[in-house]
């Protein structure tokens, strides 16, 4: 591909003249001796300078800064300055929420309430709303009251976990197997007869 190679050479020459060869990533990188600052990061975030904001936040979260964990989590969920990554965002928000960060707690509660970007789970939503309310969130109190009113009207208060219930253990039964056999449901009949036959049940062995 001679043409492509020639184009690359011309591009390289043009970039060198501008003092930018090889091309640099748009992702800001900290210089040696760099000291991260939440205030600087937050100001950068507000003016949508996401590269600077995320550079600070990523270092701050390593120090356990719950505010930075919250902001970094939200940036991952929204895809601000980084590819969208909901699981990673929720992970940081949970870490912040467990440290008592009210914004993270409210965000998680609303996420479980709405079912976005996590599966809808009213029990989990209520848990995070209550944590946020303890931290003084008026919004969480309003949203929880609305959710409680809705679920009470549906007869679903308090909410239950959406975790699947364990199925009761199967117990083979000769009469159930016989009934299934009579209606030509041989699969169900065998399901009952086989374990009974192994136990020495004569009629099941005959079947």
């Amino acid at each position: 591909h001679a043409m492509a190679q020639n184009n690359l050479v011309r591009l390289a020459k043009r970039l060198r003249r501008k003092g930018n060869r090889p091309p640099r990533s748009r992702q800001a990188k900290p210089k040696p001796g760099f000291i991260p600052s939440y205030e600087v990061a937050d100001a950068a975030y507000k003016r949508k300078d996401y590269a600077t904001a995320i550079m600070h936040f990523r270092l701050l979260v390593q120090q356990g800064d719950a505010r930075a964990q919250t902001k970094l989590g939200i940036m991952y969920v929204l895809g601000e300055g980084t590819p969208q990554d909901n699981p990673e965002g929720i992970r940081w928000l949970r870490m912040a929420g467990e440290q008592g960060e009210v914004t993270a707690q409210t965000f998680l509660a609303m996420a479980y309430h709405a079912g976005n970007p996590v599966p809808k789970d009213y029990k989990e939503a209520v848990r995070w709303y209550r944590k946020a309310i303890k931290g003084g969130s008026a919004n969480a109190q309003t949203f929880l009251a609305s959710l409680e009113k809705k679920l009470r009207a549906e007869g679903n208060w308090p909410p239950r976990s959406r975790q699947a219930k364990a199925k009761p253990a199967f117990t083979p039964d000769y009469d159930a197997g016989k009934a299934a056999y009579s209606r030509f449901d041989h699969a169900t009949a065998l399901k009952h007869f086989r374990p009974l036959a192994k136990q020495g049940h004569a009629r099941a062995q005959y079947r």
Side-chain angles (χ1 to χ4, degrees), residues 159-176:
R160 298 175 184 175
S161 174
R162 289 190 171 256
Q163 186 174 358
K165 296 180 181 178
K167 294 181 179 179
F170 173 76
T171 303
D173 180 86
Y174 177 79
D175 291 330

Side-chain angles (χ1 to χ4, degrees), residues 26-31 33-47 49-73 75-76 80-81 92:
R26 290 182 178 272
Q27 183 73 54
K29 294 181 181 180
K31 296 178 181 179
F34 174 80
I35 299 175
S37 164
Y38 179 82
E39 288 69 26
V40 171
D42 191 45
Y45 179 83
K46 288 175 180 175
R47 65 175 182 267
D49 179 3
Y50 297 137
T52 299
I54 209 165
M55 177 178 66
H56 285 263
F57 288 144
R58 280 178 172 159
L59 292 174
L60 290 167
V61 297
Q62 296 173 18
Q63 300 171 13
D65 190 309
R67 297 173 304 169
Q69 290 170 348
T70 300
K71 282 291 177 67
L72 184 62
M75 290 180 79
Y76 273 118
E80 295 174 329
W92 286 113

